[in-house]
Amino acid sequence: MKVLLIHTPIWTVRSPPLNVPYLAAYLRRAGNEVTVIDMNCELYHAGGRACRCFWDRAFLFQWQAWDEFSKTVLPRLVGPALPGYAARARD
């Protein structure tokens, strides 16, 4: 079976959670074809220095409230990346 696991924002990039890699390893050992996308880390690096503030604790509200997210994070980070993620998910 093909499995796609996506680690979504927002989590610190300095100490990422281990749940996705552990789950991926378990599924692979069970004979599944597993692809992992670390959307959190990829978006952090894709946005450059200007967008790294979104991972600061003081800016977490911009991910949590739709009105803030749609004005700040979505147009600068998530929106431009979505076609690439959709293409990878289809593969």
Side-chain angles (χ1 to χ4, degrees):
M1 175 186 337
K2 287 186 172 184
V3 178
L4 173 64
L5 300 174
I6 302 173
H7 174 62
T8 59
I10 180 172
W11 192 272
T12 178
V13 293
R14 292 185 181 91
S15 59
L18 297 176
N19 55 345
V20 173
Y22 283 150
L23 183 55
Y26 174 81
L27 291 168
R28 284 183 182 122
R29 275 187 295 225
N32 297 288
E33 182 182 330
V34 180
T35 300
V36 176
I37 296 176
D38 189 343
M39 196 173 180
N40 184 61
C41 204
E42 289 180 14
L43 289 177
Y44 176 82
H45 291 293
R49 291 189 175 271
C51 293
R52 292 202 177 144
C53 64
F54 295 138
W55 278 261
D56 188 300
R57 289 184 192 269
F59 289 92
L60 290 180
F61 69 93
Q62 292 183 344
W63 292 90
Q64 298 166 343
W66 174 252
D67 55 329
E68 289 295 326
F69 179 81
S70 64
K71 288 188 288 187
T72 57
V73 180
L74 184 62
R76 293 175 69 187
L77 281 176
V78 180
L82 284 181
Y85 287 118
R88 288 168 63 190
R90 282 191 298 269
D91 291 342

